[in-house]
Amino acid sequence: NDFGRYEAFASELDFKWGFLLSPPDSTVQAAPVWLGEFGTDENSLWWQHLLRYLIDNEVDFAYWSINGEKYTGQPETFGLYMEDFVTLRDPWKMEALQDVMNKTRKGLWSASDS
């Protein structure tokens, strides 16, 4: 049974959209891929596998959402911040996202490149 194995997870993403990142016999992407939804707000197996996939495949992403409220008085559980917009909701989440950013930096433009 492959359930829970990273290899099965990665194979599924490769089949659905990961093939666009590195088509066979090519050194360039077939199409730009940008991940905007992570699909969980828990430090689950899905979260861990997805972050590993981002690193392994240099996937570009943005995390939604940063805000602490959906609207006044309604918490945004996916948000990086609490309702006060100062306190981190889940420090583990910020640390994990920073880890991905630090491990997927090759090829990024910097001010020294200009």
Side-chain angles (χ1 to χ4, degrees), residues 6-89:
Y6 172 74
E7 293 76 16
F9 178 87
S11 179
E12 184 70 17
L13 290 188
D14 286 344
F15 176 76
K16 291 182 176 180
W17 53 265
F19 65 91
L20 295 169
L21 296 166
S22 56
D25 302 322
S26 178
T27 58
V28 297
Q29 288 180 297
V33 174
W34 181 75
L35 183 71
E37 291 280 345
F38 282 61
T40 186
D41 64 346
E42 298 176 4
N43 191 3
S44 62
L45 190 59
W46 170 272
W47 170 266
Q48 293 165 18
H49 284 347
L50 183 59
L51 295 185
R52 179 176 170 189
Y53 190 84
L54 295 178
I55 292 167
D56 289 352
N57 294 281
E58 293 279 329
V59 178
D60 295 322
F61 71 93
Y63 185 83
W64 172 89
S65 73
I66 192 169
N67 53 300
E69 293 181 314
K70 289 182 183 182
Y71 46 86
T72 304
Q74 177 68 37
E76 174 53 80
T77 60
F78 286 87
L80 292 177
Y81 290 98
M82 297 294 288
E83 292 84 348
D84 65 7
F85 290 87
V86 175
T87 308
L88 286 175
R89 180 173 302 281

